[in-house]
């Protein structure tokens, strides 16, 4: 399965996917990294690894989001991409693109969905006094941060946490969870049925995901 990672910034989740894909036994390869910003640090990091990396800046499309995504779609077709992994891609996709790629786009979000959709998830988790926080990988639907959940990892909230410390522990879990979830999708073990993800029995998450004490 040929994967494209969409990024807007540093690209640490993209690098975690790239590490997983470097294993010859992994069922996906990272064929392309694409960004809406030529300045995204992750583009240079991908190129250093020999991964094709392209920017399709949204500004020249002057607010025509669908035209921007048609340009992206043409690149995905040219590169024979099978699956899109959103990895810190900071633009909401249009219904046109989401439906065209239905069940072929997955996203990582830094909260235990359906809680805390949107931005500033770590600060909001702390404000509500949540005892548990974490991250989710899900199939993408038109509404932001919605769609069938593939996998989640949980992180305990400590009394001394601030958004940065909590976010750092969540990010460490993201880097483990996203390759795990991509493996489930690329191998066919995770399938959407009636807007829920069904995992084949042997694909139950290993105990290493959702560690009860948040340690690696
Ligand atoms: C991650 O926290 C991810 O969950 C969110 O955006 C951030 C991207 O970080 N969607 P990075 O670019 O992968 O380092």
């Amino acid at each position: 399965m040929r994967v494209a990672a969409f990024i807007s910034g540093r690209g640490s989740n993209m690098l975690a996917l790239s590490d997983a894909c470097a294993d010859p036994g992994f069922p996906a390869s990272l064929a392309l990294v694409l960004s809406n910003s030529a300045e995204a640090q992750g583009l240079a990091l991908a190129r250093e690894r020999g991964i094709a990396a392209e920017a399709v800046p949204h500004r020249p499309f002057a607010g025509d989001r669908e035209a921007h995504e048609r340009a992206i779609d043409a690149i995905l077709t040219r590169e024979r991409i099978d699956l899109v992994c959103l990895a810190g891609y900071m633009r909401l996709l249009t219904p046109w693109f989401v439906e065209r790629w239905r069940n072929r786009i997955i996203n990582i979000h830094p909260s235990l969905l359906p809680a805390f959709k949107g931005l500033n998830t770590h600060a909001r988790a702390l404000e509500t006094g949540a005892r548990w926080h974490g991250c989710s990988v899900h199939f993408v639907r038109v509404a932001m941060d919605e769609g069938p959940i593939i996998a989640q990892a949980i992180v305990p909230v400590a009394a001394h946490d601030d958004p940065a410390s909590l976010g750092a522990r969540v990010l460490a879990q993201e880097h483990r969870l996203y390759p795990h979830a991509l493996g489930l999708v690329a191998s066919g073990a995770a399938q959407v049925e009636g807007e829920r993800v069904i995992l084949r029995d042997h694909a139950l998450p290993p105990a290493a995901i959702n560690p009860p004490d948040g340690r690696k």
Side-chain angles (χ1 to χ4, degrees):
M1 185 172 268
R2 287 172 64 78
V3 169
F6 283 17
I7 64 168
S8 294
R10 68 188 163 185
S12 70
N13 277 289
M14 175 277 293
L15 292 178
L17 296 177
S18 158
D19 287 343
C21 290
D23 178 343
F26 194 73
S29 66
L30 184 57
L32 177 69
V33 175
L34 206 143
S35 179
N36 62 306
S37 161
E39 280 81 52
Q41 298 146 263
L43 286 177
L45 297 173
R47 288 186 189 118
E48 277 171 23
R49 292 181 172 210
I51 302 165
E54 284 190 44
V56 184
H58 57 272
R59 287 216 182 82
F61 293 90
D64 187 343
R65 291 163 59 217
E66 199 175 300
H68 178 236
E69 291 170 4
R70 285 185 188 277
I72 290 173
D73 183 68
I75 295 172
L76 299 181
T77 302
R78 185 193 77 204
E79 297 294 327
R80 294 174 288 109
I81 298 300
D82 302 301
L83 183 80
V84 171
C85 290
L86 304 182
Y89 187 67
M90 299 305 283
R91 289 185 66 80
L92 196 57
L93 295 166
T94 63
W96 173 78
F97 189 87
V98 171
E99 291 310 326
R100 185 169 169 82
W101 286 82
R102 189 176 178 82
N103 295 340
R104 295 184 295 156
I105 316 172
I106 64 177
N107 177 48
I108 186 152
H109 181 72
S111 78
L112 293 173
L113 290 173
F116 309 125
K117 296 170 182 169
L119 298 174
N120 304 318
T121 56
H122 311 309
R124 288 157 62 209
L126 290 171
E127 273 161 25
T128 60
R131 298 300 195 239
W132 297 94
H133 188 41
C135 48
S136 308
V137 178
H138 64 97
F139 284 98
V140 168
R141 294 293 181 258
V142 171
M144 184 179 63
D145 299 326
E146 272 192 35
I149 291 169
I150 301 159
Q152 295 182 304
I154 60 174
V155 168
V157 179
H160 54 75
D161 266 328
D162 59 21
S165 65
L166 182 57
R169 289 208 311 289
V170 170
L171 189 64
Q173 294 302 317
E174 291 183 42
H175 295 161
R176 303 172 67 229
L177 185 73
Y178 212 173
H180 171 72
L182 172 58
L184 293 178
V185 172
S187 67
Q191 308 240 336
V192 180
E193 282 179 33
E195 288 305 272
R196 281 176 50 180
V197 171
I198 304 300
L199 294 181
R200 291 212 307 265
D201 279 350
H202 70 269
L204 286 174
I209 302 288
N210 304 333
D213 60 1
R215 280 195 303 246
K216 270 204 167 185

